Amino acid sequence: MRELKIFSGSANRPLAEAICESLNIELSRIVLNTFPDGEIYCKVDEDVRGRDVFLIQPTCPPVNFHLMQLLIMIDSCTRASAARITTVIPYFGYARQDRKDEGRVPITAKLVANLITRAGADRVLAMDLHAAQIQGFFDVPVDHLYAAPVLNDYFLKRNLVGDNIVVVSPDEGSIKRASGHMKRLGGSLAIVDKRRNNALEVKHEHIIGGPIRGRAALIFDDMISTAGSIRGAAELLHEAGAIEVHVAATHGVLCGPAIKNIQAAPIASVVITDSIPLAEQQQIPEIKVQSVAHLLAEAIKRIHHDQSVSAIFGR
Amino acid sequence: MRELKIFSGSANRPLAEAICESLNIELSRIVLNTFPDGEIYCKVDEDVRGRDVFLIQPTCPPVNFHLMQLLIMIDSCTRASAARITTVIPYFGYARQDRKDEGRVPITAKLVANLITRAGADRVLAMDLHAAQIQGFFDVPVDHLYAAPVLNDYFLKRNLVGDNIVVVSPDEGSIKRASGHMKRLGGSLAIVDKRRNNALEVKHEHIIGGPIRGRAALIFDDMISTAGSIRGAAELLHEAGAIEVHVAATHGVLCGPAIKNIQAAPIASVVITDSIPLAEQQQIPEIKVQSVAHLLAEAIKRIHHDQSVSAIFGR
Amino acid sequence: MRELKIFSGSANRPLAEAICESLNIELSRIVLNTFPDGEIYCKVDEDVRGRDVFLIQPTCPPVNFHLMQLLIMIDSCTRASAARITTVIPYFGYARQDRKDEGRVPITAKLVANLITRAGADRVLAMDLHAAQIQGFFDVPVDHLYAAPVLNDYFLKRNLVGDNIVVVSPDEGSIKRASGHMKRLGGSLAIVDKRRNNALEVKHEHIIGGPIRGRAALIFDDMISTAGSIRGAAELLHEAGAIEVHVAATHGVLCGPAIKNIQAAPIASVVITDSIPLAEQQQIPEIKVQSVAHLLAEAIKRIHHDQSVSAIFGR
Amino acid sequence: MRELKIFSGSANRPLAEAICESLNIELSRIVLNTFPDGEIYCKVDEDVRGRDVFLIQPTCPPVNFHLMQLLIMIDSCTRASAARITTVIPYFGYARQDRKDEGRVPITAKLVANLITRAGADRVLAMDLHAAQIQGFFDVPVDHLYAAPVLNDYFLKRNLVGDNIVVVSPDEGSIKRASGHMKRLGGSLAIVDKRRNNALEVKHEHIIGGPIRGRAALIFDDMISTAGSIRGAAELLHEAGAIEVHVAATHGVLCGPAIKNIQAAPIASVVITDSIPLAEQQQIPEIKVQSVAHLLAEAIKRIHHDQSVSAIFGR
Amino acid sequence: MRELKIFSGSANRPLAEAICESLNIELSRIVLNTFPDGEIYCKVDEDVRGRDVFLIQPTCPPVNFHLMQLLIMIDSCTRASAARITTVIPYFGYARQDRKDEGRVPITAKLVANLITRAGADRVLAMDLHAAQIQGFFDVPVDHLYAAPVLNDYFLKRNLVGDNIVVVSPDEGSIKRASGHMKRLGGSLAIVDKRRNNALEVKHEHIIGGPIRGRAALIFDDMISTAGSIRGAAELLHEAGAIEVHVAATHGVLCGPAIKNIQAAPIASVVITDSIPLAEQQQIPEIKVQSVAHLLAEAIKRIHHDQSVSAIFGR
Amino acid sequence: MRELKIFSGSANRPLAEAICESLNIELSRIVLNTFPDGEIYCKVDEDVRGRDVFLIQPTCPPVNFHLMQLLIMIDSCTRASAARITTVIPYFGYARQDRKDEGRVPITAKLVANLITRAGADRVLAMDLHAAQIQGFFDVPVDHLYAAPVLNDYFLKRNLVGDNIVVVSPDEGSIKRASGHMKRLGGSLAIVDKRRNNALEVKHEHIIGGPIRGRAALIFDDMISTAGSIRGAAELLHEAGAIEVHVAATHGVLCGPAIKNIQAAPIASVVITDSIPLAEQQQIPEIKVQSVAHLLAEAIKRIHHDQSVSAIFGR
């Protein structure tokens, strides 16, 4: 069996360390600096020749820096003769740019997939991709994990299940996700029917389905960016009689006014995973971080040992 | 300006002829035979050297035959030194296999995209792809048309608009499409909330949204295969008090028990386009075919003349 | 040593089973269905991650279906992280379209080679390719087997050798093949000199070489399609005084009027291999099927164990 | 129309000049030197940016030098932004290494095709490839010319036609070629049935077909290398009563003992084309060179003007 | 002639505007925003279908952002069917990472070249690449300009020529560049012989060559980063009796302590080009910016019109 | 562990044998002939299926022959299913053509890298590449060795160190190399400042640095071609008072008048390695060959065993 080596980019070193702890191995050494002109310096500090290398790097903000750092790490390992390079991308930036909705725009998610492959990655391990079709943007094998069980656990432990709750999809595109959670947690289903005015602003309208009144509302999404739309949804749900509103999402991007929006909204808790690290100013009591380290660790172990990963699929 | 040449595979020659009529040019000659052992013989019967070639072929049933025929036509034109080959695929078969929902299955839509590119296609012109992300399965330029205006016209002409109607999404995945039609036609929005038991059978549950009673229900989908789910939806809507039920979809695949289902269901009309040709036994009074030939013709003309195609996007 | 996994497409499951029996292993499980619209569904039902996978699929009629099924199986195994995928193609459809004899035709055999490689095949195991140059259509390694020993055995056992026989090439292109058999079986050499009027019809002329009279004539070819040309050859040989006529070919495509032609012609036996399965109505007494399962099994075993395959080359 | 530029490598500058004369244009300037260590220096001495470039270079002996020179010329033109590069290869070296007849040998003809494409060639113009399948070794368009009419003209002018002649194939692989000439020139058909002992030596056996006696024998082949086998064939034909023996081949490689063999054999004339230039010591009276310059010139003109090349196919 | 379209990324819009002014055309419209999470949004706001597109973007700091923005612009134009995309990269970031001087480091300059090509660029226009070999990192055509004449002009106008000056190479790697300037400006040649202790710090030693005393010292380099080494060189030259020290470089990266170093050093002027824009705080009197807009404009014009670019090469 | 197989092309069989002796294994058998027409015949005579194959071939003169032979060997091993092919190229021909210094010239070093990769090489092991950037011409891993320690050893053993010597760079481009030797051997540094008039002739000017007088001058270069420039340098150094002049270079190309130049110059010894074999007439007393066989053997062993090669880097 070829030796397993796990390296972390600078995007989420705590997650990488937690994964290694879960696997009971040392995180391998790599030097990652930035020159005064902003160029990235990379030196892999352990021999990777013939090794089975995993590079852990969510491409979270600053996305262009983290993506480029990942590509440079791949190039280093390729040229250093790694036997196999699996890029572990718990959060895949640019995933929402996955189609051309108007003329003369890019499909940046596909571009990123092409760049990762061109740099020399042999495989990808991703989690809760914004659209499942992004797997098809790659010709190399992609293992796709779901954080849903980790999020469900939070609510199961707190007995937020069955008739106590209403599972809410914050928009039309997330109904399937909400349905999935409802299958596990029970409750009724509601959808926030919103109209998008432009790419950045959203105007909420009303709620379809329910019932809401007297229940805890659990909003599920794949990621929280500015928290603008969940703030609106929470307000709508609150007005509709929800006794408390919880939000759960795999990826806590939490950019721009996100923290302000969360604090201003009638939201009891925001449950996210550690796919993206929280900055210090983001560590507010409402935000409850659940770790996916053991999930990723298990997947890495199975990939390394040529064992089925489907078995730990979250669905 | 390089000369324009349009060839048709055997999948939908009437559509190709209608496109050429709309463009006021002759359909170019190509010999397409099948040897006794089923192998396809192809001979392009006009000079394509340095020409701007368009190959019209929806990959409708028998999908494997039509796809392979298209690939062989591409190979013939490539080797005959066509300047540019645009594959016009009004219906893109295998589009629903666009992701890995379970382990060890293919992403056949991506495979097909790779095959088309590998054979030598320079561009793709498609219509109402099952998922918009399929555009990203290609690295060559894709022009994507929407048949929605053609379908809307049918209802506008019959005054099935505004408070007369309820626009119905037959499942969670088509809500966005239904919303789009509602923006143009007015009315209220309803969703059939169904549970899929396995890949082929579907068990319907109930309707979210509305109101339904006293209105004409207009179900919109991208394609109709066995018509099983729209039969169920029509029955649900009928029970809920819809005064009549119409179904509209871009692609009339109409396979298996489709005709029987349509005839058995309380459906007033099934509005489809000619992206796929109707077999004789499929030509029943309920099915109303609207032509997209002029839409495709306009797109071909604009691609040929390097003019914007976004301008005729149906959205 | 990585585990060996053998899967069969639907083209020739009996051959795959015979190969597995010869190797004393189980045929691995794969689900291959067809949706009502003709699209192929594939699910590999055993873990192939890191395994050494062989996919057995002659691309015999219906060729486009079997080819596409093979490509989808390759895609499934690639995405499921198979360590190596060897496509075992005992009969390679479209092999006769291996050149451009006129302008604006495809080289479909090359196209097929490109598609197989693009889908993700790492290697090919083929048998009696129509033209040896087809090996060069691939950049991945091709192991090429010859069924000649299997066919020769049939005649050796029946003492159809030496001065008892005349070895006949049914056309100019097969003389080398006939010579090869003559080296092993003895006898004299004759060639049927025919003029091809068009791609489907053939007009026979006369025989060069011999002697014919008083001998058993053994016609050798790589494949039998409509059996039109061997019927003509058999009649010519019969008129020339051959005491009985036998036909031997690796691939029994036997399409169109093949069975009728064989039954109508003065042919004592048609010796073919099981590279292509016989339909029930094709199982007539004249047709003698010799199995190549052990030959393919041996090759698979050697490829799996990194042992020389040249050693079992049939020449 | 983009400007036409024709460059010649050092393999056959007289042919390139004759082509240009036929096209009434100047041969473009290129500096091709060899450094003292044998490395090739190349500088394109005219602007090729956006031009339609043709590079004329048969890969005749010294084949490795001429091939490498061609690749370097392609690289120069690619980097100098030529709009299109057509490699004109009247004689394609390594063509006989087009298959794997034994284990662990290369398919050098495919390798060469890959190298030419990798260097940046957009198209190939070839003549009388040893095997037609070599066209399929390329994915870029190949125009394939036949010198047969040029060779036939020589005999038509001398009334070596009809019952005066017997058309002879020097081996089994060339029967189709001989048949083609017979269709144009008339006469009977004979085949020299030879047994190849090893790759370099050949042992002739006997003649099949005829009649020979009292006729002029015309041996047709695609190339003459050491002239060993045609010497043997000529002797056999002479013994069989042929009144004179002529040999015709597209490519006069004429290496090793070729001139000695021709002079020693009962051969009246050796008709070849100028696809390969004759060295001074090869210019003996028996060798009659027919020019293919006008044929190549016409093909280049048609390719440049996007006109059909099939029309001048020699068959 | 296809229409010319010039777009600018956000790296150096003033340069793009100056180029367009020089060409007397409008800079084309493109929307380039940044979402709250740092992802780049791009929409090409003019039709580029069939156009000859030039994208101007030096990959100066922040290098990863500017590079990614360029790649996204390329993807947008490729998918919008631009006829040809030339990336104009006046300053090529990561150029110093062009080799592996130690084990397990990347060759980031090659990686960047691969990414640019993978994204869809058809050509590159660069200026004063750190190493000329970087041209070979691309397989697409590269036009390479030299800013030397622009820098020389500055000194020629001020009569800093001949015996008035000593041309100084700040290290061993730049001697060839210094020699080139000396050929045009005259004077003597000197080299600062330095020892590099680590990647970021440099310790100067002494000067080879000269004479220095009583002359103006002109230090030439390709880029100025932190200005640490030119500060040291200036001090050495000042001590050695230079009456004034000038520094000239194509690329003014000017990062980290650069401005402080320049102001602290005995440097009369720092002559750079506008390949990289100056931030406001960098606009100090010592820095004299010479524009290369006309040089780039002329190259773009010539590339667009298929005219030779070598003619304006600065050497 | 996969079995190691080492094959030698015909360029430097003695080196390959020395490497194998150092590794205590047999050189594997391969048949390499030349047909009468100059085409290379290759047959790998041992099973390489699944083996770890190393092909040793410096591309020294005749460079085009040796390069093509290497490519054919790679093709043979690829098609014979070698598990991994490492091309060991101790001397990399065409390395000086690594940039475009003028318009419309090739970058042949990049072309060669592309050809080697296209033929199927998985890795490269090189030594003292003319420019380190050539590593970046490959996307496959390159291990790069330095012969400097071997050359230094020669002088260390003869006490040509410290104040006894002056280390001389024969031109501006080799200063870095000379500095490297000086760090190990001591002494002072001098540079021969030459002006290159054209590609083949060089006119020397004068020496910068020193002191020279009374010291042994050690000129270091990467290769010696015609020995013209080192002859000039030696004469200059002799005139400047050097007590003896030694020349050391990794690669002894020694073409054209090299031997004459060496014998005519005041050169005490020319120290080279056996990266290129010496012809008999080149074996003059002044030339001292140091073997790099053990260095290459060690690298091969480490690559085969997935051990770090950096550890034996010569720097």
Side-chain angles (χ1 to χ4, degrees), chain A residues 10-206:
Chain A
S10 65
N12 196 347
R13 208 177 146 88
L15 175 63
E17 282 164 352
I19 290 170
C20 285
E21 197 173 53
S22 173
L23 290 169
N24 205 19
I25 66 169
E26 288 285 309
L27 187 58
S28 293
R29 293 187 310 277
I30 186 168
V31 180
L32 288 165
N33 288 330
T34 306
F35 286 111
D37 59 0
E39 294 186 0
I40 292 164
Y41 170 82
C42 170
K43 172 154 171 71
V44 177
D45 233 13
E46 299 191 17
D47 203 1
V48 294
R49 196 175 283 266
R51 305 309 197 283
D52 189 18
V53 172
F54 289 75
L55 305 177
I56 298 176
Q57 178 90 326
T59 50
C60 52
V63 55
N64 302 304
F65 177 86
H66 285 147
L67 174 58
M68 193 64 197
Q69 194 187 53
L70 174 60
L71 298 174
I72 289 172
M73 289 166 71
I74 297 170
D75 189 71
S76 303
C77 291
T78 301
R79 293 188 184 278
S81 306
R84 189 171 72 165
I85 299 170
T86 301
T87 52
V88 182
I89 311 177
Y91 169 72
F92 190 87
Y94 281 111
R96 280 167 296 183
Q97 300 196 26
D98 61 351
R99 72 183 82 190
K100 277 182 69 175
D101 270 341
E102 49 183 340
R104 293 175 243 116
V105 296
I107 305 182
T108 310
K110 177 62 187 309
L111 170 66
V112 168
N114 287 347
L115 300 182
I116 289 169
T117 307
R118 185 65 185 87
D122 295 303
R123 322 176 36 87
V124 172
L125 173 58
M127 193 169 69
D128 277 334
L129 287 166
H130 182 65
Q133 287 88 351
I134 291 172
Q135 293 172 66
F137 287 2
F138 290 91
D139 285 328
V140 297
V142 176
D143 284 303
H144 190 206
L145 304 179
Y146 297 95
V150 173
L151 300 177
N152 287 342
D153 271 2
Y154 179 88
F155 297 108
L156 288 166
K157 283 185 186 150
R158 282 153 188 80
N159 200 30
L160 288 163
V161 294
D163 290 350
N164 298 333
I165 63 166
V166 53
V167 171
V168 184
S169 168
D171 57 31
E172 299 154 353
S174 300
I175 301 177
K176 203 165 181 181
R177 176 183 311 275
S179 288
H181 285 280
M182 195 178 62
K183 276 182 201 152
R184 183 76 183 88
L185 300 175
S188 58
L189 184 68
I191 301 153
V192 178
D193 181 24
K194 67 183 177 186
R195 298 290 177 276
R196 189 174 290 270
N197 295 330
N198 62 42
L200 295 180
E201 278 186 306
V202 161
K203 189 181 156 210
H204 298 284
E205 303 273 51
H206 61 286

Side-chain angles (χ1 to χ4, degrees), chain F residues 118-140:
Chain F
R118 184 67 184 84
D122 296 302
R123 326 177 31 87
V124 172
L125 172 59
M127 195 169 67
D128 277 334
L129 288 165
H130 183 65
Q133 286 88 352
I134 291 173
Q135 293 172 68
F137 287 2
F138 291 91
D139 284 329
V140 297

